[in-house]
Amino acid sequence: AAREQRPHCGRHLTREEWSAQAELYHSDAKTPMQPDEFPLFRALKGEIIRDHEVMIRSPAGEFRTHLVSGRPIQTGNGQNLGAVAAYYDITDKRKLETQLQQSQRMEAIGVLAGGVAHDFNNLLTVILGYSEMLLQIIPIENAHRDLVLQFHPAGEKGSSLPRQLLAFSRRQVLTPQ
């Protein structure tokens, strides 16, 4: 005679056994959750949990971020029979979000650097243009010509800065010198 096969769910862990096996932390990954704060145990008390973020620490010490949803299992008259909780690991998703935010910040810095480079280049163009005009009209024997000869090369040397800033804003590889 064939026997009816029922799926085996294993034995149910007690609250103490469950909390001894799992190290749950609040989303700050610093504050440990007390067993009564665990989403499963909150659901056992009749609470519906939706997308609650928790950190679970592995035996190796690595933290994984999980979204937890849970709900009580009740009879038609509201008597609690148990609870179910689903843990969804979103660690990789959070890492990608962090990388995207970092990339967006770097892009904003690049745009700012490009704007600064253009403004700085415009100022240098005026300085260099006037110094060249002064060098053309000041006689060679004039003592003030030496002053102009001092700041003109400095302006030319400073013109490398806007090029470096523009290269950074375009994500070009720079060779520091």
Side-chain angles (χ1 to χ4, degrees), residues 1 20 32 34 37 131 138 144 159 162:
Q34 299 304 315
E37 298 175 304
S131 68
I138 296 177
H144 296 299
S159 66

Side-chain angles (χ1 to χ4, degrees), residues 16-90:
E16 291 75 25
E17 289 171 324
W18 205 89
S19 61
Q21 289 185 9
E23 286 191 62
L24 270 67
Y25 288 78
H26 291 278
S27 58
D28 66 1
K30 294 177 184 165
T31 311
M33 284 186 161
Q34 299 304 315
D36 288 342
E37 298 175 304
F38 288 9
L40 178 62
F41 298 141
R42 288 171 48 199
L44 280 168
K45 293 178 186 174
E47 187 179 344
I48 295 176
I49 312 297
R50 286 195 178 94
D51 296 334
H52 183 77
E53 191 171 304
V54 298
M55 303 294 288
I56 299 178
R57 192 167 120 186
S58 73
E62 177 192 12
F63 280 96
R64 305 286 300 177
T65 307
H66 289 79
L67 276 184
V68 184
S69 295
R71 66 179 319 115
I73 301 171
Q74 298 175 330
T75 64
N77 63 4
Q79 179 186 3
N80 279 352
L81 297 176
V84 63
Y87 288 72
Y88 180 66
D89 189 335
I90 59 167

Side-chain angles (χ1 to χ4, degrees), residues 19-176:
S19 61
Q21 289 185 9
E23 286 191 62
L24 270 67
Y25 288 78
H26 291 278
S27 58
D28 66 1
K30 294 177 184 165
T31 311
M33 284 186 161
Q34 299 304 315
D36 288 342
E37 298 175 304
F38 288 9
L40 178 62
F41 298 141
R42 288 171 48 199
L44 280 168
K45 293 178 186 174
E47 187 179 344
I48 295 176
I49 312 297
R50 286 195 178 94
D51 296 334
H52 183 77
E53 191 171 304
V54 298
M55 303 294 288
I56 299 178
R57 192 167 120 186
S58 73
E62 177 192 12
F63 280 96
R64 305 286 300 177
T65 307
H66 289 79
L67 276 184
V68 184
S69 295
R71 66 179 319 115
I73 301 171
Q74 298 175 330
T75 64
N77 63 4
Q79 179 186 3
N80 279 352
L81 297 176
V84 63
Y87 288 72
Y88 180 66
D89 189 335
I90 59 167
T91 305
D92 294 336
K93 179 183 176 191
R94 287 287 190 254
K95 286 178 183 175
L96 287 173
E97 287 171 353
T98 301
Q99 289 173 352
L100 175 62
Q101 290 169 353
Q102 179 68 20
S103 175
Q104 289 171 335
R105 282 194 293 269
M106 288 303 293
E107 185 175 342
I109 289 170
V111 169
L112 176 64
V116 168
H118 283 293
D119 290 347
F120 190 69
N121 199 42
N122 290 342
L123 293 171
L124 280 175
T125 300
V126 171
I127 292 168
L128 290 172
Y130 277 116
S131 68
E132 287 176 14
M133 287 175 28
L134 284 171
L135 286 173
Q136 290 177 1
I137 61 172
I138 296 177
I140 292 176
E141 57 278 347
N142 190 315
H144 296 299
R145 186 178 178 87
D146 287 339
L147 294 173
V148 175
L149 286 171
Q150 291 296 316
F151 71 81
H152 185 74
E156 288 178 341
K157 195 174 186 180
S159 66
S160 68
L161 180 60
R163 282 193 295 276
Q164 291 173 350
L165 285 171
L166 286 171
F168 171 78
S169 72
R170 294 184 198 121
R171 296 190 181 106
Q172 295 173 345
V173 176
L174 296 174
T175 307

